[in-house]
Amino acid sequence: MISKTPMTPYYAVIFTSLRTEDNNGYELAAKRMTDLAQKQIGFLGVESARSEVGITISYWESLEAIQNWRNNEEHRNVQKSGKKKWYASYKIRICKVERDYEF
Amino acid sequence: MISKTPMTPYYAVIFTSLRTEDNNGYELAAKRMTDLAQKQIGFLGVESARSEVGITISYWESLEAIQNWRNNEEHRNVQKSGKKKWYASYKIRICKVERDYEF
Protein backbone atom coordinates (compact mmCIF):
# COMPACT_ATOMS: atom_id res chain seq x y z
CA MET A 1 0.00 0.00 0.00
CA ILE A 2 0.90 3.64 -0.40
CA SER A 3 1.60 4.98 3.08
CA LYS A 4 -0.75 7.62 4.44
CA THR A 5 1.88 9.94 5.83
CA PRO A 6 1.15 13.25 7.62
CA MET A 7 1.91 16.78 6.43
CA THR A 8 5.54 17.40 5.53
CA PRO A 9 8.18 17.60 6.84
CA TYR A 10 8.81 14.06 8.03
CA TYR A 11 11.62 11.57 7.41
CA ALA A 12 12.20 8.58 5.14
CA VAL A 13 14.73 5.75 5.28
CA ILE A 14 15.32 4.33 1.80
CA PHE A 15 16.77 0.81 1.99
CA THR A 16 17.85 -0.50 -1.44
CA SER A 17 19.28 -4.01 -1.50
CA LEU A 18 20.62 -6.82 -3.62
CA ARG A 19 19.91 -10.25 -2.15
CA THR A 20 22.09 -13.33 -1.98
CA GLU A 21 20.58 -16.72 -2.86
CA ASP A 22 20.32 -17.60 0.83
CA ASN A 23 16.62 -17.43 1.73
CA ASN A 24 17.01 -19.26 5.02
CA GLY A 25 15.01 -17.32 7.58
CA TYR A 26 14.70 -14.25 5.38
CA GLU A 27 10.93 -14.00 4.92
CA LEU A 28 10.26 -14.57 8.60
CA ALA A 29 12.80 -11.96 9.68
CA ALA A 30 11.53 -9.44 7.11
CA LYS A 31 7.96 -9.85 8.32
CA ARG A 32 9.02 -9.64 11.97
CA MET A 33 11.00 -6.44 11.33
CA THR A 34 8.03 -4.83 9.57
CA ASP A 35 5.79 -5.73 12.51
CA LEU A 36 8.34 -4.53 15.05
CA ALA A 37 9.01 -1.25 13.20
CA GLN A 38 5.29 -0.46 13.31
CA LYS A 39 5.40 -0.59 17.11
CA GLN A 40 8.17 1.98 17.40
CA ILE A 41 7.44 5.52 18.56
CA GLY A 42 7.45 7.87 15.61
CA PHE A 43 6.81 5.22 12.93
CA LEU A 44 4.59 6.56 10.14
CA GLY A 45 4.47 3.86 7.47
CA VAL A 46 6.36 1.50 5.20
CA GLU A 47 6.37 0.75 1.47
CA SER A 48 8.19 -2.17 -0.10
CA ALA A 49 8.74 -3.78 -3.50
CA ARG A 50 11.26 -6.16 -5.03
CA SER A 51 12.29 -6.75 -8.64
CA GLU A 52 15.97 -6.83 -9.60
CA VAL A 53 16.62 -4.74 -6.50
CA GLY A 54 14.56 -4.59 -3.34
CA ILE A 55 13.37 -1.21 -2.10
CA THR A 56 11.88 -0.70 1.35
CA ILE A 57 11.06 2.81 2.50
CA SER A 58 10.06 3.46 6.09
CA TYR A 59 8.67 6.83 7.16
CA TRP A 60 9.33 8.43 10.53
CA GLU A 61 8.41 11.52 12.53
CA SER A 62 11.99 12.45 13.42
CA LEU A 63 15.66 11.57 13.08
CA GLU A 64 15.54 10.49 16.73
CA ALA A 65 12.87 7.89 15.92
CA ILE A 66 15.08 6.55 13.10
CA GLN A 67 18.09 6.38 15.41
CA ASN A 68 16.07 4.51 18.06
CA TRP A 69 14.87 1.99 15.49
CA ARG A 70 18.38 1.51 14.14
CA ASN A 71 19.60 0.76 17.66
CA ASN A 72 16.71 -1.51 18.67
CA GLU A 73 18.35 -4.66 20.00
CA GLU A 74 16.30 -7.22 18.06
CA HIS A 75 16.72 -5.11 14.93
CA ARG A 76 20.48 -4.95 15.44
CA ASN A 77 20.69 -8.73 15.59
CA VAL A 78 18.72 -9.03 12.35
CA GLN A 79 20.99 -6.42 10.72
CA LYS A 80 23.94 -8.71 11.51
CA SER A 81 22.18 -11.70 9.94
CA GLY A 82 21.38 -9.55 6.93
CA LYS A 83 25.04 -8.74 6.32
CA LYS A 84 26.11 -12.32 6.97
CA LYS A 85 23.46 -14.17 4.98
CA TRP A 86 20.77 -12.35 3.04
CA TYR A 87 22.27 -9.27 1.42
CA ALA A 88 25.01 -9.10 -1.20
CA SER A 89 24.98 -5.33 -0.82
CA TYR A 90 22.69 -2.55 0.29
CA LYS A 91 22.49 1.20 0.59
CA ILE A 92 20.59 3.14 3.24
CA ARG A 93 19.63 6.76 2.69
CA ILE A 94 18.26 8.98 5.45
CA CYS A 95 16.03 11.66 3.95
CA LYS A 96 13.93 14.61 4.98
CA VAL A 97 10.67 14.62 3.03
CA GLU A 98 10.16 18.28 2.17
CA ARG A 99 7.10 18.16 -0.08
CA ASP A 100 4.63 15.55 -1.26
CA TYR A 101 1.58 15.34 -3.47
CA GLU A 102 -0.63 12.59 -4.72
CA PHE A 103 -3.10 11.46 -7.34
CA MET B 1 20.97 -1.70 -9.64
CA ILE B 2 21.76 0.30 -6.53
CA SER B 3 22.52 3.85 -7.68
CA LYS B 4 26.06 5.14 -7.15
CA THR B 5 25.12 8.54 -5.80
CA PRO B 6 27.65 11.21 -4.72
CA MET B 7 28.33 12.52 -1.23
CA THR B 8 25.29 13.85 0.60
CA PRO B 9 23.41 16.13 0.44
CA TYR B 10 21.50 15.42 -2.75
CA TYR B 11 17.80 14.96 -3.55
CA ALA B 12 15.45 12.03 -4.09
CA VAL B 13 12.01 11.81 -5.67
CA ILE B 14 10.10 8.82 -4.33
CA PHE B 15 7.28 7.80 -6.68
CA THR B 16 5.01 5.13 -5.16
CA SER B 17 2.17 3.92 -7.36
CA LEU B 18 -0.73 1.54 -7.73
CA ARG B 19 -1.37 0.52 -11.35
CA THR B 20 -4.61 0.04 -13.22
CA GLU B 21 -5.03 -3.04 -15.43
CA ASP B 22 -4.38 -0.95 -18.54
CA ASN B 23 -0.92 -1.87 -19.80
CA ASN B 24 -1.38 -0.27 -23.19
CA GLY B 25 1.80 1.69 -23.90
CA TYR B 26 2.97 1.56 -20.29
CA GLU B 27 6.25 -0.38 -20.64
CA LEU B 28 7.38 1.69 -23.59
CA ALA B 29 6.60 4.97 -21.84
CA ALA B 30 8.27 3.84 -18.61
CA LYS B 31 11.45 2.88 -20.48
CA ARG B 32 11.42 6.12 -22.47
CA MET B 33 11.01 8.20 -19.31
CA THR B 34 13.93 6.40 -17.64
CA ASP B 35 16.10 7.07 -20.69
CA LEU B 36 14.98 10.69 -20.92
CA ALA B 37 15.50 11.33 -17.19
CA GLN B 38 19.09 10.13 -17.51
CA LYS B 39 19.77 12.87 -20.05
CA GLN B 40 18.61 15.69 -17.77
CA ILE B 41 21.10 18.03 -16.13
CA GLY B 42 21.51 17.10 -12.48
CA PHE B 43 20.28 13.49 -12.81
CA LEU B 44 22.19 11.15 -10.48
CA GLY B 45 20.50 7.76 -10.73
CA VAL B 46 17.29 5.74 -10.54
CA GLU B 47 16.14 2.66 -8.65
CA SER B 48 12.89 0.85 -9.36
CA ALA B 49 10.95 -2.19 -8.19
CA ARG B 50 7.37 -3.40 -8.35
CA SER B 51 5.41 -5.84 -6.19
CA GLU B 52 1.97 -4.92 -4.84
CA VAL B 53 3.04 -1.29 -5.21
CA GLY B 54 5.59 0.13 -7.60
CA ILE B 55 8.42 2.25 -6.23
CA THR B 56 10.68 4.34 -8.43
CA ILE B 57 13.24 6.61 -6.82
CA SER B 58 15.18 9.10 -8.90
CA TYR B 59 18.15 10.98 -7.46
CA TRP B 60 19.04 14.57 -8.37
CA GLU B 61 21.66 17.19 -7.63
CA SER B 62 19.20 19.95 -6.76
CA LEU B 63 15.55 20.91 -6.38
CA GLU B 64 15.95 22.94 -9.55
CA ALA B 65 16.89 19.80 -11.50
CA ILE B 66 13.77 18.07 -10.15
CA GLN B 67 11.60 21.02 -11.13
CA ASN B 68 13.07 21.06 -14.66
CA TRP B 69 12.39 17.35 -15.05
CA ARG B 70 8.85 17.71 -13.76
CA ASN B 71 8.23 20.44 -16.36
CA ASN B 72 9.92 18.67 -19.29
CA GLU B 73 7.37 18.78 -22.09
CA GLU B 74 7.55 15.12 -23.11
CA HIS B 75 7.46 14.11 -19.45
CA ARG B 76 4.38 16.26 -18.84
CA ASN B 77 2.52 14.52 -21.65
CA VAL B 78 3.39 11.13 -20.18
CA GLN B 79 2.26 12.32 -16.74
CA LYS B 80 -1.16 13.04 -18.26
CA SER B 81 -1.34 9.57 -19.80
CA GLY B 82 -0.30 8.13 -16.44
CA LYS B 83 -3.24 9.74 -14.66
CA LYS B 84 -5.65 8.87 -17.45
CA LYS B 85 -4.65 5.26 -18.07
CA TRP B 86 -1.93 3.58 -16.05
CA TYR B 87 -2.16 4.67 -12.43
CA ALA B 88 -5.03 4.11 -10.03
CA SER B 89 -3.19 6.32 -7.53
CA TYR B 90 0.29 7.51 -6.73
CA LYS B 91 2.23 9.58 -4.26
CA ILE B 92 5.32 11.65 -4.99
CA ARG B 93 7.66 12.69 -2.21
CA ILE B 94 10.47 15.21 -2.71
CA CYS B 95 13.28 14.49 -0.26
CA LYS B 96 16.66 15.82 0.76
CA VAL B 97 19.05 12.92 1.33
CA GLU B 98 20.97 13.97 4.42
CA ARG B 99 23.07 10.88 5.13
CA ASP B 100 23.76 7.55 3.49
CA TYR B 101 25.82 4.46 4.09
CA GLU B 102 26.24 1.12 2.45
CA PHE B 103 27.26 -2.49 2.79
Side-chain angles (χ1 to χ4, degrees):
Chain A
M1 290 302 296
I2 300 176
S3 290
K4 301 218 175 304
T5 37
M7 295 259 291
T8 57
Y10 52 91
Y11 290 84
V13 179
I14 302 172
F15 177 76
T16 310
S17 63
L18 291 170
R19 288 284 319 279
T20 61
E21 289 179 2
D22 184 350
N23 290 317
N24 189 18
Y26 173 74
E27 288 296 341
L28 197 67
K31 164 122 185 44
R32 170 68 185 155
M33 286 306 101
T34 302
D35 291 348
L36 191 61
Q38 287 176 26
K39 290 178 187 156
Q40 305 305 304
I41 291 169
F43 175 87
L44 298 175
V46 63
E47 295 168 346
S48 195
R50 178 167 293 280
S51 298
E52 191 188 347
V53 299
I55 302 174
T56 296
I57 308 170
S58 56
Y59 299 102
W60 301 87
E61 275 177 11
S62 65
L63 289 173
E64 187 189 4
I66 293 170
Q67 189 66 33
N68 288 342
W69 171 234
R70 187 181 178 182
N71 292 334
N72 173 285
E73 194 175 341
E74 186 175 344
H75 187 202
R76 286 177 70 94
N77 286 331
V78 170
Q79 289 168 39
K80 285 179 199 156
S81 298
K83 289 184 185 179
K84 217 185 300 180
K85 297 195 291 185
W86 301 317
Y87 295 113
S89 64
Y90 62 70
K91 186 145 189 158
I92 291 173
R93 295 177 172 98
I94 313 292
C95 312
K96 184 175 188 178
V97 183
E98 300 188 340
R99 287 190 302 121
D100 62 14
Y101 47 98
E102 61 192 46
F103 161 69
Chain B
M1 290 300 297
I2 300 176
S3 291
K4 301 220 174 305
T5 36
M7 296 259 290
T8 56
Y10 52 92
Y11 290 84
V13 179
I14 303 172
F15 177 75
T16 310
S17 63
L18 292 171
R19 289 285 318 280
T20 60
E21 289 178 2
D22 184 352
N23 290 317
N24 189 19
Y26 173 74
E27 288 297 340
L28 198 67
K31 165 125 186 41
R32 170 68 184 156
M33 286 306 101
T34 302
D35 291 349
L36 190 61
Q38 286 175 27
K39 290 177 186 157
Q40 305 307 304
I41 291 169
F43 176 87
L44 298 174
V46 63
E47 297 168 346
S48 196
R50 178 168 293 280
S51 298
E52 192 189 346
V53 298
I55 302 174
T56 296
I57 308 170
S58 56
Y59 299 102
W60 301 87
E61 275 177 12
S62 65
L63 289 173
E64 187 189 4
I66 292 170
Q67 189 67 30
N68 288 341
W69 170 234
R70 186 182 179 183
N71 292 332
N72 174 285
E73 192 176 342
E74 186 176 342
H75 187 203
R76 285 177 71 94
N77 286 332
V78 169
Q79 289 167 38
K80 286 178 199 159
S81 298
K83 289 185 185 180
K84 216 185 301 181
K85 296 196 290 186
W86 302 315
Y87 296 113
S89 64
Y90 62 69
K91 185 146 191 159
I92 290 173
R93 294 177 173 97
I94 313 293
C95 312
K96 184 176 190 178
V97 183
E98 299 189 340
R99 289 189 302 121
D100 61 14
Y101 49 97
E102 60 192 46
F103 161 71

